[in-house]
Amino acid sequence: MSSAILLVGGMGTRLQPLTFNTPKPMLSVAGVPFTEHQIIKAREAGFTEIVLATSFKAELFEPYFGDGERFGISIRYAVESVPLGTGGAIRNAASMLTGSGPVAIFNGDVLSAHDLAAQLSFHVKNQADVTLYLTEVPDARAFGAVEFGDDFRVTAFNEKMENPPTNMINAGCYIFSREVIDSIPAQQVISVERETFPGLLNDGARVFAFIDRNYWLDIGNPSALMKATRDLLSGAMYSAATPVLSDGSFIAAGASIAATAKITSSVIGSGAQIGSGAVIEGCLIGAGARVGQEVVLTDCFVADSAQVESGVIAGGSFLGFPLK
Ligand code: GTP
């Protein structure tokens, strides 16, 4: 039994207006909710149960994922009526796991090709308390910069700072021993990045760095979210959850595309209609949206059921989303 927790309770403020009605992890990426890519990744790495730690718009997850049978993995839901922060969420969700071994924790907004099974083996081999997946970025200022020694023992955890001492960052997937999770105070708001990790280092805990430089993307802002879809559609990143594509785009069942419309690197939601002569490139068109004739859209998000009048030309825009 290998167990995982997926942190999906954040407000996703950087992705507004997309997240006014939809939690960030349920936003469509390459035609399926982002969370589905992570759940399938966990299953492919041999995980058999996963608890979704939900809070903001918690009620939107279960109708889609159910008990997980459709996805080949057991799924349960730990709902926080008040958000408990990343640490509090982990503690709360762990009580719903049936396994008692190490637990993989995923941030709900990271698309990565890192070797999760190897991270778990590395954790077990080192008899670690926590094993952090690290990747290297050109500019670490917006991330947690993590320092470690020749033996891969983590020596310092620096959360978001102006002059980070290293470009190796916390890439948002951890393995925790069960004892460490149980030591997090219950029902309290706790940040794993600001409190748990620095506290563990202070106490001399065995915190290890697992380095993997394969594809990594934080989908937390609109341009990154769009990039995730493009990379999955183009094959620059692989996910077993990406649906079957036609010509590098995903056209959901029930969408109707005029014969003279040109669609490239885009996702067209179910029941959407695309008018004649429209040119759609690198866009996410929501379910039931109606895009008129001769519309030209590049890098746009179109909301579910929105209407884009004929002749509209737009680039990098959000069309049809609520204002708050
Ligand atoms: P921003 O508001 O745009 O920063 O996004 P966010 O709310 O998702 O916050 P952030 O990116 O810092 O969160 C990292 C991960 O932890 C995301 O997957 C969040 O869904 C999740 N998360 C953050 N806070 C909580 C919380 O209080 N409870 C739970 N269950 N998950 C959380």
Side-chain angles (χ1 to χ4, degrees), residues 6-15 24-25 38 52-56 78 80 82-86 88-90 106-110 160 189-190 193 218 220:
L6 192 44
L7 299 172
V8 290
M11 302 252 316
T13 47
R14 288 167 296 154
L15 275 169
K24 170 164 67 176
Q38 292 185 298
L52 303 195
T54 63
S55 182
F56 177 67
E80 298 148 47
V82 176
L84 291 172
T86 44
I90 293 168
F106 300 87
N107 275 0
D109 50 7
V110 168
K160 302 182 181 80
V189 178
I190 292 177
E193 298 88 350
D218 172 354

PDB file of all heavy atoms in Angstrom, residues 6-15 24-25 38 52-56 78 80 82-86 88-90 106-110 160 189-190 193 218 220, ligand 1:
ATOM      1  N   LEU A   6      -2.930  14.927  -1.777  1.00  0.00           N
ATOM      2  CA  LEU A   6      -2.858  15.988  -2.782  1.00  0.00           C
ATOM      3  C   LEU A   6      -3.434  17.259  -2.156  1.00  0.00           C
ATOM      4  O   LEU A   6      -4.584  17.249  -1.710  1.00  0.00           O
ATOM      5  CB  LEU A   6      -3.682  15.524  -3.989  1.00  0.00           C
ATOM      6  CG  LEU A   6      -3.625  16.219  -5.311  1.00  0.00           C
ATOM      7  CD1 LEU A   6      -2.213  16.570  -5.730  1.00  0.00           C
ATOM      8  CD2 LEU A   6      -4.251  15.307  -6.368  1.00  0.00           C
ATOM      9  N   LEU A   7      -2.623  18.324  -2.105  1.00  0.00           N
ATOM     10  CA  LEU A   7      -3.067  19.583  -1.491  1.00  0.00           C
ATOM     11  C   LEU A   7      -3.796  20.420  -2.532  1.00  0.00           C
ATOM     12  O   LEU A   7      -3.175  20.967  -3.446  1.00  0.00           O
ATOM     13  CB  LEU A   7      -1.856  20.353  -0.955  1.00  0.00           C
ATOM     14  CG  LEU A   7      -1.048  19.629   0.122  1.00  0.00           C
ATOM     15  CD1 LEU A   7       0.239  20.392   0.435  1.00  0.00           C
ATOM     16  CD2 LEU A   7      -1.878  19.436   1.378  1.00  0.00           C
ATOM     17  N   VAL A   8      -5.102  20.494  -2.407  1.00  0.00           N
ATOM     18  CA  VAL A   8      -5.891  21.182  -3.436  1.00  0.00           C
ATOM     19  C   VAL A   8      -6.856  22.200  -2.840  1.00  0.00           C
ATOM     20  O   VAL A   8      -7.886  22.513  -3.425  1.00  0.00           O
ATOM     21  CB  VAL A   8      -6.667  20.162  -4.322  1.00  0.00           C
ATOM     22  CG1 VAL A   8      -5.708  19.386  -5.212  1.00  0.00           C
ATOM     23  CG2 VAL A   8      -7.501  19.196  -3.477  1.00  0.00           C
ATOM     24  N   GLY A   9      -6.518  22.739  -1.649  1.00  0.00           N
ATOM     25  CA  GLY A   9      -7.469  23.610  -0.963  1.00  0.00           C
ATOM     26  C   GLY A   9      -7.210  25.101  -1.093  1.00  0.00           C
ATOM     27  O   GLY A   9      -7.923  25.898  -0.499  1.00  0.00           O
ATOM     28  N   GLY A  10      -6.194  25.499  -1.873  1.00  0.00           N
ATOM     29  CA  GLY A  10      -5.843  26.926  -1.962  1.00  0.00           C
ATOM     30  C   GLY A  10      -6.853  27.721  -2.768  1.00  0.00           C
ATOM     31  O   GLY A  10      -7.684  27.171  -3.487  1.00  0.00           O
ATOM     32  N   MET A  11      -6.756  29.059  -2.660  1.00  0.00           N
ATOM     33  CA  MET A  11      -7.717  29.952  -3.327  1.00  0.00           C
ATOM     34  C   MET A  11      -7.322  30.245  -4.780  1.00  0.00           C
ATOM     35  O   MET A  11      -8.132  30.745  -5.558  1.00  0.00           O
ATOM     36  CB  MET A  11      -7.800  31.297  -2.598  1.00  0.00           C
ATOM     37  CG  MET A  11      -8.190  31.171  -1.148  1.00  0.00           C
ATOM     38  SD  MET A  11      -9.842  31.719  -0.782  1.00  0.00           S
ATOM     39  CE  MET A  11     -10.025  33.228  -1.649  1.00  0.00           C
ATOM     40  N   GLY A  12      -6.063  30.004  -5.124  1.00  0.00           N
ATOM     41  CA  GLY A  12      -5.627  30.240  -6.509  1.00  0.00           C
ATOM     42  C   GLY A  12      -5.803  31.680  -6.944  1.00  0.00           C
ATOM     43  O   GLY A  12      -6.244  31.950  -8.070  1.00  0.00           O
ATOM     44  N   THR A  13      -5.421  32.635  -6.077  1.00  0.00           N
ATOM     45  CA  THR A  13      -5.673  34.056  -6.376  1.00  0.00           C
ATOM     46  C   THR A  13      -4.933  34.534  -7.628  1.00  0.00           C
ATOM     47  O   THR A  13      -5.447  35.373  -8.368  1.00  0.00           O
ATOM     48  CB  THR A  13      -5.260  34.951  -5.189  1.00  0.00           C
ATOM     49  OG1 THR A  13      -3.972  34.538  -4.755  1.00  0.00           O
ATOM     50  CG2 THR A  13      -6.225  34.836  -4.044  1.00  0.00           C
ATOM     51  N   ARG A  14      -3.758  33.975  -7.882  1.00  0.00           N
ATOM     52  CA  ARG A  14      -2.996  34.444  -9.050  1.00  0.00           C
ATOM     53  C   ARG A  14      -3.667  34.037 -10.358  1.00  0.00           C
ATOM     54  O   ARG A  14      -3.318  34.538 -11.414  1.00  0.00           O
ATOM     55  CB  ARG A  14      -1.564  33.875  -9.000  1.00  0.00           C
ATOM     56  CG  ARG A  14      -0.697  34.509  -7.927  1.00  0.00           C
ATOM     57  CD  ARG A  14       0.571  33.712  -7.714  1.00  0.00           C
ATOM     58  NE  ARG A  14       0.292  32.380  -7.201  1.00  0.00           N
ATOM     59  CZ  ARG A  14       1.072  31.318  -7.376  1.00  0.00           C
ATOM     60  NH1 ARG A  14       2.171  31.432  -8.077  1.00  0.00           N
ATOM     61  NH2 ARG A  14       0.739  30.140  -6.868  1.00  0.00           N
ATOM     62  N   LEU A  15      -4.597  33.115 -10.272  1.00  0.00           N
ATOM     63  CA  LEU A  15      -5.286  32.666 -11.495  1.00  0.00           C
ATOM     64  C   LEU A  15      -6.677  33.271 -11.656  1.00  0.00           C
ATOM     65  O   LEU A  15      -7.432  32.862 -12.534  1.00  0.00           O
ATOM     66  CB  LEU A  15      -5.376  31.135 -11.512  1.00  0.00           C
ATOM     67  CG  LEU A  15      -4.130  30.435 -12.067  1.00  0.00           C
ATOM     68  CD1 LEU A  15      -4.182  28.947 -11.807  1.00  0.00           C
ATOM     69  CD2 LEU A  15      -3.985  30.694 -13.561  1.00  0.00           C
ATOM     70  N   LYS A  24      -8.354  26.072  -8.610  1.00  0.00           N
ATOM     71  CA  LYS A  24      -7.203  25.902  -9.520  1.00  0.00           C
ATOM     72  C   LYS A  24      -6.989  24.442  -9.948  1.00  0.00           C
ATOM     73  O   LYS A  24      -6.824  24.180 -11.147  1.00  0.00           O
ATOM     74  CB  LYS A  24      -5.956  26.475  -8.836  1.00  0.00           C
ATOM     75  CG  LYS A  24      -4.636  26.194  -9.509  1.00  0.00           C
ATOM     76  CD  LYS A  24      -3.514  27.105  -9.004  1.00  0.00           C
ATOM     77  CE  LYS A  24      -3.106  26.910  -7.578  1.00  0.00           C
ATOM     78  NZ  LYS A  24      -1.949  27.755  -7.199  1.00  0.00           N
ATOM     79  N   PRO A  25      -7.035  23.476  -9.022  1.00  0.00           N
ATOM     80  CA  PRO A  25      -6.737  22.104  -9.445  1.00  0.00           C
ATOM     81  C   PRO A  25      -7.806  21.494 -10.353  1.00  0.00           C
ATOM     82  O   PRO A  25      -7.568  20.474 -10.984  1.00  0.00           O
ATOM     83  CB  PRO A  25      -6.676  21.331  -8.120  1.00  0.00           C
ATOM     84  CG  PRO A  25      -6.472  22.382  -7.075  1.00  0.00           C
ATOM     85  CD  PRO A  25      -7.193  23.585  -7.566  1.00  0.00           C
ATOM     86  N   GLN A  38      -2.172  14.633 -12.002  1.00  0.00           N
ATOM     87  CA  GLN A  38      -1.402  14.246 -10.812  1.00  0.00           C
ATOM     88  C   GLN A  38      -1.858  12.899 -10.259  1.00  0.00           C
ATOM     89  O   GLN A  38      -1.047  12.090  -9.813  1.00  0.00           O
ATOM     90  CB  GLN A  38      -1.526  15.331  -9.754  1.00  0.00           C
ATOM     91  CG  GLN A  38      -0.822  16.621 -10.193  1.00  0.00           C
ATOM     92  CD  GLN A  38      -0.844  17.644  -9.085  1.00  0.00           C
ATOM     93  OE1 GLN A  38      -1.914  18.074  -8.665  1.00  0.00           O
ATOM     94  NE2 GLN A  38       0.319  18.042  -8.612  1.00  0.00           N
ATOM     95  N   LEU A  52      -7.540  13.687  -1.203  1.00  0.00           N
ATOM     96  CA  LEU A  52      -7.526  15.071  -1.669  1.00  0.00           C
ATOM     97  C   LEU A  52      -7.832  15.962  -0.467  1.00  0.00           C
ATOM     98  O   LEU A  52      -8.897  15.825   0.143  1.00  0.00           O
ATOM     99  CB  LEU A  52      -8.563  15.306  -2.768  1.00  0.00           C
ATOM    100  CG  LEU A  52      -8.491  14.443  -4.030  1.00  0.00           C
ATOM    101  CD1 LEU A  52      -9.356  15.055  -5.144  1.00  0.00           C
ATOM    102  CD2 LEU A  52      -7.077  14.281  -4.531  1.00  0.00           C
ATOM    103  N   ALA A  53      -6.888  16.848  -0.132  1.00  0.00           N
ATOM    104  CA  ALA A  53      -7.092  17.800   0.972  1.00  0.00           C
ATOM    105  C   ALA A  53      -7.733  19.042   0.388  1.00  0.00           C
ATOM    106  O   ALA A  53      -7.065  19.859  -0.250  1.00  0.00           O
ATOM    107  CB  ALA A  53      -5.762  18.137   1.634  1.00  0.00           C
ATOM    108  N   THR A  54      -9.047  19.172   0.569  1.00  0.00           N
ATOM    109  CA  THR A  54      -9.807  20.241  -0.084  1.00  0.00           C
ATOM    110  C   THR A  54     -10.262  21.289   0.921  1.00  0.00           C
ATOM    111  O   THR A  54     -10.354  21.029   2.119  1.00  0.00           O
ATOM    112  CB  THR A  54     -11.056  19.676  -0.786  1.00  0.00           C
ATOM    113  OG1 THR A  54     -11.913  19.114   0.209  1.00  0.00           O
ATOM    114  CG2 THR A  54     -10.720  18.613  -1.795  1.00  0.00           C
ATOM    115  N   SER A  55     -10.565  22.477   0.415  1.00  0.00           N
ATOM    116  CA  SER A  55     -11.151  23.519   1.257  1.00  0.00           C
ATOM    117  C   SER A  55     -11.947  24.466   0.349  1.00  0.00           C
ATOM    118  O   SER A  55     -13.158  24.340   0.248  1.00  0.00           O
ATOM    119  CB  SER A  55     -10.059  24.263   2.032  1.00  0.00           C
ATOM    120  OG  SER A  55     -10.649  25.221   2.867  1.00  0.00           O
ATOM    121  N   PHE A  56     -11.242  25.361  -0.375  1.00  0.00           N
ATOM    122  CA  PHE A  56     -11.922  26.292  -1.288  1.00  0.00           C
ATOM    123  C   PHE A  56     -12.680  25.508  -2.370  1.00  0.00           C
ATOM    124  O   PHE A  56     -12.091  24.693  -3.068  1.00  0.00           O
ATOM    125  CB  PHE A  56     -10.861  27.214  -1.913  1.00  0.00           C
ATOM    126  CG  PHE A  56     -11.387  28.186  -2.929  1.00  0.00           C
ATOM    127  CD1 PHE A  56     -12.235  29.210  -2.557  1.00  0.00           C
ATOM    128  CD2 PHE A  56     -11.009  28.073  -4.268  1.00  0.00           C
ATOM    129  CE1 PHE A  56     -12.710  30.113  -3.502  1.00  0.00           C
ATOM    130  CE2 PHE A  56     -11.469  28.972  -5.216  1.00  0.00           C
ATOM    131  CZ  PHE A  56     -12.334  29.993  -4.823  1.00  0.00           C
ATOM    132  N   ALA A  78     -10.606  14.895   2.316  1.00  0.00           N
ATOM    133  CA  ALA A  78     -10.525  15.498   3.651  1.00  0.00           C
ATOM    134  C   ALA A  78     -10.861  16.974   3.470  1.00  0.00           C
ATOM    135  O   ALA A  78     -10.091  17.721   2.853  1.00  0.00           O
ATOM    136  CB  ALA A  78      -9.126  15.336   4.221  1.00  0.00           C
ATOM    137  N   GLU A  80     -11.477  20.770   4.712  1.00  0.00           N
ATOM    138  CA  GLU A  80     -11.217  21.736   5.794  1.00  0.00           C
ATOM    139  C   GLU A  80     -12.270  22.838   5.688  1.00  0.00           C
ATOM    140  O   GLU A  80     -12.308  23.547   4.687  1.00  0.00           O
ATOM    141  CB  GLU A  80      -9.829  22.363   5.623  1.00  0.00           C
ATOM    142  CG  GLU A  80      -8.699  21.378   5.697  1.00  0.00           C
ATOM    143  CD  GLU A  80      -7.532  21.803   4.810  1.00  0.00           C
ATOM    144  OE1 GLU A  80      -7.117  22.973   4.843  1.00  0.00           O
ATOM    145  OE2 GLU A  80      -7.063  20.945   4.049  1.00  0.00           O
ATOM    146  N   VAL A  82     -12.290  25.454   7.497  1.00  0.00           N
ATOM    147  CA  VAL A  82     -11.422  26.634   7.484  1.00  0.00           C
ATOM    148  C   VAL A  82     -10.074  26.142   6.951  1.00  0.00           C
ATOM    149  O   VAL A  82      -9.572  25.121   7.428  1.00  0.00           O
ATOM    150  CB  VAL A  82     -11.234  27.179   8.924  1.00  0.00           C
ATOM    151  CG1 VAL A  82     -10.259  28.338   8.932  1.00  0.00           C
ATOM    152  CG2 VAL A  82     -12.569  27.558   9.506  1.00  0.00           C
ATOM    153  N   PRO A  83      -9.496  26.812   5.945  1.00  0.00           N
ATOM    154  CA  PRO A  83      -8.223  26.324   5.403  1.00  0.00           C
ATOM    155  C   PRO A  83      -7.160  26.207   6.491  1.00  0.00           C
ATOM    156  O   PRO A  83      -6.974  27.128   7.286  1.00  0.00           O
ATOM    157  CB  PRO A  83      -7.833  27.391   4.374  1.00  0.00           C
ATOM    158  CG  PRO A  83      -9.047  28.210   4.136  1.00  0.00           C
ATOM    159  CD  PRO A  83      -9.950  28.057   5.311  1.00  0.00           C
ATOM    160  N   LEU A  84      -6.484  25.073   6.537  1.00  0.00           N
ATOM    161  CA  LEU A  84      -5.525  24.808   7.618  1.00  0.00           C
ATOM    162  C   LEU A  84      -4.084  25.080   7.215  1.00  0.00           C
ATOM    163  O   LEU A  84      -3.168  24.771   7.965  1.00  0.00           O
ATOM    164  CB  LEU A  84      -5.674  23.350   8.082  1.00  0.00           C
ATOM    165  CG  LEU A  84      -6.986  23.038   8.820  1.00  0.00           C
ATOM    166  CD1 LEU A  84      -7.121  21.527   9.052  1.00  0.00           C
ATOM    167  CD2 LEU A  84      -7.032  23.782  10.157  1.00  0.00           C
ATOM    168  N   GLY A  85      -3.881  25.654   6.005  1.00  0.00           N
ATOM    169  CA  GLY A  85      -2.506  25.837   5.535  1.00  0.00           C
ATOM    170  C   GLY A  85      -1.968  24.487   5.075  1.00  0.00           C
ATOM    171  O   GLY A  85      -2.593  23.440   5.300  1.00  0.00           O
ATOM    172  N   THR A  86      -0.808  24.514   4.422  1.00  0.00           N
ATOM    173  CA  THR A  86      -0.306  23.266   3.834  1.00  0.00           C
ATOM    174  C   THR A  86       0.019  22.205   4.895  1.00  0.00           C
ATOM    175  O   THR A  86      -0.297  21.025   4.712  1.00  0.00           O
ATOM    176  CB  THR A  86       0.933  23.555   2.967  1.00  0.00           C
ATOM    177  OG1 THR A  86       1.800  24.456   3.673  1.00  0.00           O
ATOM    178  CG2 THR A  86       0.546  24.216   1.653  1.00  0.00           C
ATOM    179  N   GLY A  88      -1.184  22.014   8.149  1.00  0.00           N
ATOM    180  CA  GLY A  88      -2.420  21.582   8.807  1.00  0.00           C
ATOM    181  C   GLY A  88      -3.234  20.665   7.907  1.00  0.00           C
ATOM    182  O   GLY A  88      -3.868  19.706   8.368  1.00  0.00           O
ATOM    183  N   ALA A  89      -3.198  20.951   6.602  1.00  0.00           N
ATOM    184  CA  ALA A  89      -3.945  20.121   5.647  1.00  0.00           C
ATOM    185  C   ALA A  89      -3.368  18.707   5.578  1.00  0.00           C
ATOM    186  O   ALA A  89      -4.103  17.724   5.511  1.00  0.00           O
ATOM    187  CB  ALA A  89      -3.906  20.767   4.260  1.00  0.00           C
ATOM    188  N   ILE A  90      -2.045  18.612   5.609  1.00  0.00           N
ATOM    189  CA  ILE A  90      -1.401  17.288   5.555  1.00  0.00           C
ATOM    190  C   ILE A  90      -1.809  16.478   6.788  1.00  0.00           C
ATOM    191  O   ILE A  90      -2.220  15.317   6.704  1.00  0.00           O
ATOM    192  CB  ILE A  90       0.142  17.428   5.487  1.00  0.00           C
ATOM    193  CG1 ILE A  90       0.557  18.067   4.159  1.00  0.00           C
ATOM    194  CG2 ILE A  90       0.813  16.072   5.676  1.00  0.00           C
ATOM    195  CD1 ILE A  90       2.015  18.509   4.090  1.00  0.00           C
ATOM    196  N   PHE A 106       1.678  16.011  -2.623  1.00  0.00           N
ATOM    197  CA  PHE A 106       1.818  16.836  -3.833  1.00  0.00           C
ATOM    198  C   PHE A 106       1.171  18.191  -3.621  1.00  0.00           C
ATOM    199  O   PHE A 106       0.023  18.249  -3.184  1.00  0.00           O
ATOM    200  CB  PHE A 106       1.047  16.246  -5.014  1.00  0.00           C
ATOM    201  CG  PHE A 106       1.446  14.882  -5.437  1.00  0.00           C
ATOM    202  CD1 PHE A 106       0.887  13.764  -4.842  1.00  0.00           C
ATOM    203  CD2 PHE A 106       2.362  14.713  -6.458  1.00  0.00           C
ATOM    204  CE1 PHE A 106       1.228  12.501  -5.261  1.00  0.00           C
ATOM    205  CE2 PHE A 106       2.711  13.447  -6.882  1.00  0.00           C
ATOM    206  CZ  PHE A 106       2.144  12.331  -6.282  1.00  0.00           C
ATOM    207  N   ASN A 107       1.854  19.258  -4.027  1.00  0.00           N
ATOM    208  CA  ASN A 107       1.155  20.528  -4.218  1.00  0.00           C
ATOM    209  C   ASN A 107       0.249  20.340  -5.418  1.00  0.00           C
ATOM    210  O   ASN A 107       0.647  19.726  -6.411  1.00  0.00           O
ATOM    211  CB  ASN A 107       2.138  21.658  -4.521  1.00  0.00           C
ATOM    212  CG  ASN A 107       2.715  22.262  -3.261  1.00  0.00           C
ATOM    213  OD1 ASN A 107       2.384  21.830  -2.155  1.00  0.00           O
ATOM    214  ND2 ASN A 107       3.575  23.232  -3.422  1.00  0.00           N
ATOM    215  N   GLY A 108      -0.929  20.923  -5.344  1.00  0.00           N
ATOM    216  CA  GLY A 108      -1.912  20.683  -6.410  1.00  0.00           C
ATOM    217  C   GLY A 108      -1.696  21.520  -7.645  1.00  0.00           C
ATOM    218  O   GLY A 108      -2.593  21.610  -8.485  1.00  0.00           O
ATOM    219  N   ASP A 109      -0.535  22.146  -7.783  1.00  0.00           N
ATOM    220  CA  ASP A 109      -0.335  23.016  -8.944  1.00  0.00           C
ATOM    221  C   ASP A 109       1.004  22.795  -9.625  1.00  0.00           C
ATOM    222  O   ASP A 109       1.533  23.690 -10.254  1.00  0.00           O
ATOM    223  CB  ASP A 109      -0.491  24.488  -8.527  1.00  0.00           C
ATOM    224  CG  ASP A 109       0.323  24.836  -7.303  1.00  0.00           C
ATOM    225  OD1 ASP A 109       1.117  23.980  -6.844  1.00  0.00           O
ATOM    226  OD2 ASP A 109       0.182  25.968  -6.796  1.00  0.00           O
ATOM    227  N   VAL A 110       1.538  21.573  -9.499  1.00  0.00           N
ATOM    228  CA  VAL A 110       2.837  21.305 -10.120  1.00  0.00           C
ATOM    229  C   VAL A 110       2.707  20.205 -11.165  1.00  0.00           C
ATOM    230  O   VAL A 110       2.219  19.112 -10.873  1.00  0.00           O
ATOM    231  CB  VAL A 110       3.870  20.904  -9.044  1.00  0.00           C
ATOM    232  CG1 VAL A 110       5.123  20.347  -9.699  1.00  0.00           C
ATOM    233  CG2 VAL A 110       4.226  22.095  -8.180  1.00  0.00           C
ATOM    234  N   LYS A 160      10.985  32.044  -0.199  1.00  0.00           N
ATOM    235  CA  LYS A 160      10.943  33.264  -1.035  1.00  0.00           C
ATOM    236  C   LYS A 160      11.777  34.442  -0.491  1.00  0.00           C
ATOM    237  O   LYS A 160      11.399  35.093   0.461  1.00  0.00           O
ATOM    238  CB  LYS A 160       9.493  33.714  -1.215  1.00  0.00           C
ATOM    239  CG  LYS A 160       8.610  32.658  -1.854  1.00  0.00           C
ATOM    240  CD  LYS A 160       7.185  33.149  -2.072  1.00  0.00           C
ATOM    241  CE  LYS A 160       6.294  32.089  -2.686  1.00  0.00           C
ATOM    242  NZ  LYS A 160       5.761  31.084  -1.764  1.00  0.00           N
ATOM    243  N   VAL A 189      -3.668  26.057  11.928  1.00  0.00           N
ATOM    244  CA  VAL A 189      -3.186  26.570  10.649  1.00  0.00           C
ATOM    245  C   VAL A 189      -1.658  26.541  10.680  1.00  0.00           C
ATOM    246  O   VAL A 189      -1.031  27.206  11.509  1.00  0.00           O
ATOM    247  CB  VAL A 189      -3.696  28.007  10.400  1.00  0.00           C
ATOM    248  CG1 VAL A 189      -3.145  28.545   9.080  1.00  0.00           C
ATOM    249  CG2 VAL A 189      -5.219  28.035  10.395  1.00  0.00           C
ATOM    250  N   ILE A 190      -1.071  25.736   9.809  1.00  0.00           N
ATOM    251  CA  ILE A 190       0.390  25.586   9.799  1.00  0.00           C
ATOM    252  C   ILE A 190       0.888  25.549   8.358  1.00  0.00           C
ATOM    253  O   ILE A 190       0.295  24.889   7.501  1.00  0.00           O
ATOM    254  CB  ILE A 190       0.800  24.289  10.527  1.00  0.00           C
ATOM    255  CG1 ILE A 190       0.481  24.466  12.010  1.00  0.00           C
ATOM    256  CG2 ILE A 190       2.284  23.974  10.332  1.00  0.00           C
ATOM    257  CD1 ILE A 190       0.737  23.290  12.848  1.00  0.00           C
ATOM    258  N   GLU A 193       6.016  25.001   4.574  1.00  0.00           N
ATOM    259  CA  GLU A 193       7.213  25.672   4.071  1.00  0.00           C
ATOM    260  C   GLU A 193       7.815  26.609   5.124  1.00  0.00           C
ATOM    261  O   GLU A 193       9.033  26.677   5.271  1.00  0.00           O
ATOM    262  CB  GLU A 193       6.882  26.488   2.816  1.00  0.00           C
ATOM    263  CG  GLU A 193       6.385  25.680   1.621  1.00  0.00           C
ATOM    264  CD  GLU A 193       4.864  25.460   1.627  1.00  0.00           C
ATOM    265  OE1 GLU A 193       4.207  25.777   2.649  1.00  0.00           O
ATOM    266  OE2 GLU A 193       4.336  24.953   0.619  1.00  0.00           O
ATOM    267  N   ASP A 218       5.232  25.144 -12.469  1.00  0.00           N
ATOM    268  CA  ASP A 218       4.226  25.587 -11.501  1.00  0.00           C
ATOM    269  C   ASP A 218       3.131  26.277 -12.316  1.00  0.00           C
ATOM    270  O   ASP A 218       3.387  27.310 -12.930  1.00  0.00           O
ATOM    271  CB  ASP A 218       4.904  26.561 -10.519  1.00  0.00           C
ATOM    272  CG  ASP A 218       3.924  27.247  -9.584  1.00  0.00           C
ATOM    273  OD1 ASP A 218       2.704  27.083  -9.743  1.00  0.00           O
ATOM    274  OD2 ASP A 218       4.396  27.966  -8.683  1.00  0.00           O
ATOM    275  N   GLY A 220       0.651  28.017 -11.524  1.00  0.00           N
ATOM    276  CA  GLY A 220      -0.103  28.958 -10.695  1.00  0.00           C
ATOM    277  C   GLY A 220      -0.472  30.290 -11.306  1.00  0.00           C
ATOM    278  O   GLY A 220      -1.217  31.053 -10.700  1.00  0.00           O
TER     279      GLY A 220
HETATM  280  P1  GTP B   1      -2.340  31.487  -4.911  1.00  0.00           P
HETATM  281  O1  GTP B   1      -3.437  32.066  -4.080  1.00  0.00           O
HETATM  282  O2  GTP B   1      -2.429  31.945  -6.332  1.00  0.00           O
HETATM  283  O3  GTP B   1      -0.980  31.651  -4.337  1.00  0.00           O
HETATM  284  O4  GTP B   1      -2.581  29.901  -5.023  1.00  0.00           O
HETATM  285  P2  GTP B   1      -2.863  28.826  -3.862  1.00  0.00           P
HETATM  286  O5  GTP B   1      -4.013  29.292  -3.061  1.00  0.00           O
HETATM  287  O6  GTP B   1      -3.048  27.513  -4.519  1.00  0.00           O
HETATM  288  O7  GTP B   1      -1.591  28.844  -2.929  1.00  0.00           O
HETATM  289  P3  GTP B   1      -0.179  28.108  -3.100  1.00  0.00           P
HETATM  290  O8  GTP B   1       0.197  28.062  -4.536  1.00  0.00           O
HETATM  291  O9  GTP B   1       0.770  28.723  -2.185  1.00  0.00           O
HETATM  292  O10 GTP B   1      -0.490  26.647  -2.544  1.00  0.00           O
HETATM  293  C1  GTP B   1       0.300  25.526  -2.833  1.00  0.00           C
HETATM  294  C2  GTP B   1      -0.591  24.287  -2.855  1.00  0.00           C
HETATM  295  O11 GTP B   1      -1.151  24.064  -1.557  1.00  0.00           O
HETATM  296  C3  GTP B   1      -1.765  24.436  -3.791  1.00  0.00           C
HETATM  297  O12 GTP B   1      -1.940  23.194  -4.418  1.00  0.00           O
HETATM  298  C4  GTP B   1      -2.932  24.780  -2.900  1.00  0.00           C
HETATM  299  O13 GTP B   1      -4.163  24.250  -3.405  1.00  0.00           O
HETATM  300  C5  GTP B   1      -2.567  24.089  -1.599  1.00  0.00           C
HETATM  301  N1  GTP B   1      -3.006  24.812  -0.407  1.00  0.00           N
HETATM  302  C6  GTP B   1      -2.627  26.056  -0.011  1.00  0.00           C
HETATM  303  N2  GTP B   1      -3.204  26.372   1.160  1.00  0.00           N
HETATM  304  C7  GTP B   1      -3.992  25.305   1.509  1.00  0.00           C
HETATM  305  C8  GTP B   1      -4.849  25.021   2.622  1.00  0.00           C
HETATM  306  O14 GTP B   1      -5.030  25.826   3.550  1.00  0.00           O
HETATM  307  N3  GTP B   1      -5.476  23.802   2.633  1.00  0.00           N
HETATM  308  C9  GTP B   1      -5.306  22.891   1.637  1.00  0.00           C
HETATM  309  N4  GTP B   1      -5.964  21.733   1.707  1.00  0.00           N
HETATM  310  N5  GTP B   1      -4.514  23.123   0.571  1.00  0.00           N
HETATM  311  C10 GTP B   1      -3.855  24.310   0.511  1.00  0.00           C
END
